[in-house]
Amino acid sequence: MTEARYPFTAIVGMDDLRLGLLLNAVSPAVGGVLVRGEKGTAKSTMVRALAGLLPSIATVPGCRFACDPAAPDPQCPDGPHDGGAAAERPAFLVELPVGVSEDRVVGALDLERALAEGVQAYEPGLLAKAHRGVLYIDEVNLLQDHLVDLLLDAAAMGRSYVEREGVSVRHAARFLLVGTMNPEEGELRPQLLDRFGLTVEIAATRDADERAEVVRRRLAYDADPAGFAARWDERERELAERITAARELLADVELSDLALRQITAVCAAFEVDGLRADIVMARTAVALAAWAGRGAVLEEDVRTAARLALPHRRRRNPFDAPGLDEEQLDRTLAEHQPPEDPEDPEGPEDPEGPEDDGPGGGPDGGGPDGGGAPEPEPGDGNAPSGEAGSDESPAPPRQRPGGGRESAPVAADQPYRTRLFTVDGTGRGAQGRRSPAETDAGHTIRARRPRGRLSRLHLSATLRAAAPHQVARGRAGRALVLRRDDLREQVRRGRESNLVLFVVDASGSMAARQRMTAVKGAVLSLLMDAYQRRDKVGLVTFRGAGAELALPPTSSVEVGAARLEQLPTGGRTPLEAGLLRAHEVLRVERLRDPDRRPLLVLVTDGRATGGKDALPRARRAAGLLAAQGVAAVVLDCESGPVRLGLARELAAHLNGDAVSLDELRAEGVASLVREARTTMTMTTTRKAA
């Protein structure tokens, strides 16, 4: 017996998330919801609870692709459908696991029938199952890149295209895309981020009474799931009826030219890319009006639509946090204020109490029974507490216990595109965009006998291996007689993500403001490169009396950028301590994830303090890393007319490369190549003359 789902109306608080999900239930064209928030905030619970509220759908009986009898898909693999009887079934909520295979997502050849019966048959994947329903991805930011590409194609075209292993299939795949993520574990690719219609930031309530109510209800549900769900049946039914009524009203809601002008003015003011934001805002505002039971879009609908549809679209670079300037939104709306409606002298509708107060109240979760907190004013609920003041005057130097004076943090230069650094050899790590590796995606380069459990069948190679033995095995009919030794698997060549560990000298020798600004800009640029290549990053800093792990290895490159910005400088230069700390961090990470290869980026001028033998000790520590086969790059920060070349000597002990700040820029390398070509051309011309 299936365990009762936790009721949607029993969830306490989280009004913005409740609203975002309900608006998509009313109008799936809004485009889904991305839920960003800390762990343990019931993100997944609320998304799964939504499935029980969705209206049932009519399908063609026996169709595995949920075709609508009123408008069947002409390219449906189970078609053609000629109308007739319809079958009612609930809209499915399909969960896409982070580690799912590509075959499971898009479907593939039914190998059992192909090999046993000799026929081609397509086995639908999760995209087909999610058609006209909800596709839910928990920890969507951890999804592998090749799976993200499949989702982008389906979300953009509303169809899934399967061209593989002799199968050519196209089928409809329109679904409500809902994803949850913890920003601390890394951000989404901008292309996928833009495919989510709305985004919601959530955090656990700090109100003791609300937290107590959350625990009370959860314990009651765990003790008797069916009984707990039964107590909320009436509220669930009322909310489902309200969703159905709003869907019926949706087509009759008027989006006036004035309201549309406000929407486009807001999108232009926030400089969002493309026009998808304008379309999503318009659809969201119409859904809000239908949800409230109104026949026209009001300014409050536009304001709420902006809060939900724009924060994740206004990021100008990967390290900008999502958000919306409420004052700028107010100014833009005021500049395009529509005239008051002469037919409504009483002004906007006044809330009539908890039962009519929208997703945060009444039968859908408000008040003491529904568990919702009062809906906050726009912008009030998302303001971080304890923000630093706006005083920009630099902090005075401080005396550091480890020796030397500590300077206040300086800002970084603007990031730029850097050279690509890779790890030599062929790895087997997680899918990414840095170093060559055998991966689940990429192009097939050869076939081999399976190593362990067969995961990616190389069909043609398997058939070739089995073909010479069919007569000896007594084959009869079309069925192919196979043995275990016939099976071959694909070997695919792609790129992997790596662990990029930054080891940054923050000592007094690096403390010159202009110099540290350039160094931070360089590291920030490398962090951006790591973000684009889906790497994990870590940060070790050394200064004063020792080294510290400022950022444990994580997929959240944004946290690394924040730690870098806050990094002060000053004190002695314990280079040996920094290298030994890096050695220890990589040793632990190798135990946790042995397939993820590391890339060490040492940022230093090569100097070391701590006695006459400080530099030899540092070089011995570098030798330890080299002996472990750690790929290394030394970012040489030495400046001035007289240079000792210590960083380049250290790179030799690491068996790595040394790169100056000027050589780090990708465009700098390109200009060097162009200069070399120009010189060669001029030389050739002179010789010819």
Side-chain angles (χ1 to χ4, degrees):
M1 182 177 178
T2 304
E3 186 179 81
R5 182 182 287 115
Y6 196 93
F8 189 88
T9 52
I11 296 174
V12 179
M14 295 194 294
D15 297 324
D16 279 350
L17 175 54
R18 189 190 311 272
L19 178 60
L21 291 173
L22 289 174
L23 291 177
N24 274 275
V26 171
S27 175
V30 167
V33 186
L34 175 64
V35 188
R36 298 164 46 91
E38 58 195 35
K39 54 187 176 292
T41 49
K43 301 186 296 291
S44 300
T45 300
M46 182 172 276
V47 173
R48 294 187 179 104
L50 177 69
L53 301 174
L54 297 177
S56 59
I57 60 174
T59 63
V60 174
C63 178
R64 297 172 297 169
F65 301 87
C67 278
D68 186 349
D73 179 12
Q75 294 182 312
C76 177
D78 286 352
H81 303 303
D82 54 1
E88 290 278 336
R89 70 160 175 81
F92 289 156
L93 183 141
V94 178
E95 296 196 33
L96 190 74
V98 169
V100 69
S101 68
E102 184 176 337
D103 290 351
R104 189 73 186 95
V105 175
V106 299
L109 180 68
D110 188 335
L111 293 176
E112 182 177 350
R113 293 191 62 190
L115 298 177
E117 303 173 23
V119 298
Q120 286 190 356
Y122 173 66
E123 183 67 24
L126 295 177
L127 294 184
K129 188 177 181 181
H131 179 48
R132 303 176 66 197
V134 180
L135 184 66
Y136 171 49
I137 312 171
D138 193 15
E139 305 293 353
V140 63
N141 51 324
L142 303 182
L143 201 64
Q144 296 187 26
D145 276 358
H146 69 287
L147 300 180
V148 170
D149 293 337
L150 295 175
L151 289 178
L152 288 173
D153 289 342
M157 297 178 289
R159 305 192 71 81
S160 177
Y161 294 81
V162 185
E163 301 284 347
R164 54 192 303 150
E165 297 166 347
V167 174
S168 179
V169 172
R170 300 179 181 185
H171 64 82
R174 293 183 178 87
F175 44 78
L176 173 60
L177 183 61
V178 180
T180 57
M181 60 175 284
N182 182 351
E184 294 178 358
E185 297 173 340
E187 279 291 351
L188 279 178
R189 284 170 53 184
Q191 296 92 332
L192 182 57
L193 192 66
D194 191 49
R195 287 295 171 186
F196 286 96
L198 311 179
T199 186
V200 177
E201 295 274 349
I202 62 172
T205 177
R206 298 298 184 257
D207 183 89
D209 292 335
E210 276 195 27
R211 295 174 76 97
E213 184 61 21
V214 171
V215 175
R216 188 178 298 114
R217 294 186 187 184
R218 186 69 212 190
L219 294 177
Y221 171 77
D222 291 340
D224 181 13
F228 182 85
R231 293 196 292 273
W232 295 86
D233 276 348
E234 183 62 26
R235 297 180 183 275
E236 293 282 291
R237 186 162 47 253
E238 290 175 0
L239 186 56
E241 291 172 355
R242 185 175 175 186
I243 291 173
T244 301
R247 279 193 172 190
E248 294 173 353
L249 178 61
L250 193 67
D252 298 325
V253 174
E254 177 191 1
L255 178 64
S256 67
D257 288 342
L258 285 173
L260 180 58
R261 187 62 180 270
Q262 279 190 316
I263 290 171
T264 56
V266 168
C267 291
F270 283 98
E271 299 181 346
V272 295
D273 295 330
L275 294 173
R276 182 174 288 117
D278 306 62
I279 296 171
V280 170
M281 266 193 68
R283 289 171 175 169
T284 305
V286 170
L288 281 161
W291 177 251
R294 295 191 300 267
V297 172
L298 303 181
E299 181 179 322
E300 63 192 74
D301 300 323
V302 176
R303 181 188 303 276
T304 304
R307 288 199 302 111
L308 296 173
L310 294 189
H312 61 302
R313 291 187 166 91
R314 59 160 298 277
R315 296 174 53 163
R316 309 315 299 171
N317 69 64
F319 303 137
D320 284 343
L324 204 65
D325 186 338
E326 296 283 347
E327 293 183 0
Q328 184 180 358
L329 176 61
D330 290 339
R331 287 196 304 269
T332 305
L333 290 174
E335 290 170 1
H336 298 81
Q337 185 79 28
E340 292 186 5
D341 187 352
E343 297 181 2
D344 185 16
E346 295 181 4
E349 181 181 356
D350 188 51
E352 297 180 4
E355 293 192 357
D356 293 309
D357 210 15
D364 47 345
D369 293 330
E375 185 171 353
E377 290 296 323
D380 290 347
N382 294 328
S385 59
E387 276 192 353
S390 58
D391 185 7
E392 298 182 357
S393 58
R398 296 173 294 175
Q399 188 70 32
R400 181 173 173 80
R405 297 180 68 80
E406 181 182 277
S407 300
V410 299
D413 268 347
Q414 287 297 315
Y416 47 83
R417 190 165 65 91
T418 66
R419 292 172 54 180
L420 170 61
F421 300 104
T422 61
V423 179
D424 291 338
T426 302
R428 300 178 62 184
Q431 179 77 13
R433 297 182 174 184
R434 184 174 293 278
S435 303
E438 293 182 7
T439 62
D440 291 335
H443 61 281
T444 301
I445 57 173
R446 59 187 174 88
R448 69 183 177 199
R449 283 191 168 88
R451 298 177 178 176
R453 183 177 179 274
L454 177 66
S455 57
R456 299 183 301 274
L457 179 72
H458 197 300
L459 184 59
S460 60
T462 298
L463 296 178
R464 286 195 300 270
H469 309 290
Q470 295 307 295
V471 175
R473 295 173 183 174
R475 175 183 174 183
R478 301 179 64 185
L480 193 68
V481 182
L482 287 178
R483 298 287 186 266
R484 173 71 184 176
D485 289 343
D486 300 329
L487 298 178
R488 299 292 185 270
E489 69 178 2
Q490 300 175 19
V491 178
R492 297 181 181 177
R493 177 64 58 83
R495 289 192 176 274
E496 67 179 357
S497 61
N498 297 109
L499 167 59
V500 182
L501 181 63
F502 293 92
V503 182
V504 179
D505 182 353
S507 66
S509 65
M510 303 278 287
R513 178 170 293 270
Q514 185 175 358
R515 183 180 180 190
M516 198 62 195
T517 296
V519 169
K520 284 189 175 183
V523 179
L524 190 65
S525 302
L526 289 167
L527 278 169
M528 182 177 292
D529 183 67
Y531 166 83
Q532 294 168 344
R533 302 186 188 282
R534 315 306 291 170
D535 295 317
K536 289 180 70 175
V537 298
L539 177 64
V540 171
T541 63
F542 57 94
R543 63 192 177 103
E548 64 174 337
L549 181 60
L551 177 68
T554 176
S555 296
S556 182
V557 180
E558 293 77 6
V559 178
R563 299 285 172 86
L564 178 70
E565 288 283 356
Q566 299 163 5
L567 179 66
T569 57
R572 299 187 181 95
T573 312
L575 178 57
E576 178 195 18
L579 293 171
L580 291 177
R581 189 61 187 269
H583 181 271
E584 176 62 18
V585 170
L586 295 179
R587 183 189 68 81
V588 173
E589 286 301 309
R590 193 176 295 114
L591 296 174
R592 291 176 178 170
D593 190 355
D595 289 335
R596 189 182 292 272
R597 298 187 295 166
L599 174 64
L600 179 75
V601 179
L602 176 61
V603 184
T604 182
D605 56 8
R607 291 180 172 84
T609 57
K612 294 182 179 179
D613 61 342
L615 196 55
R617 293 200 313 268
R619 290 172 176 170
R620 286 196 294 270
L624 288 176
L625 290 162
Q628 294 294 322
V630 176
V633 175
V634 177
L635 189 58
D636 184 0
C637 302
E638 193 173 22
S639 61
V642 179
R643 304 193 181 190
L644 303 178
L646 297 176
R648 296 186 179 271
E649 291 181 19
L650 191 61
H653 286 83
L654 285 166
N655 288 338
D657 297 323
V659 180
S660 69
L661 292 176
D662 293 335
E663 295 169 339
L664 182 63
R665 294 176 181 266
E667 54 267 32
V669 176
S671 64
L672 289 174
V673 173
R674 286 193 295 270
E675 289 174 6
R677 286 178 176 172
T678 302
T679 302
M680 292 174 62
T681 303
M682 293 174 63
T683 303
T684 304
T685 303
R686 291 194 193 99
K687 288 181 178 179

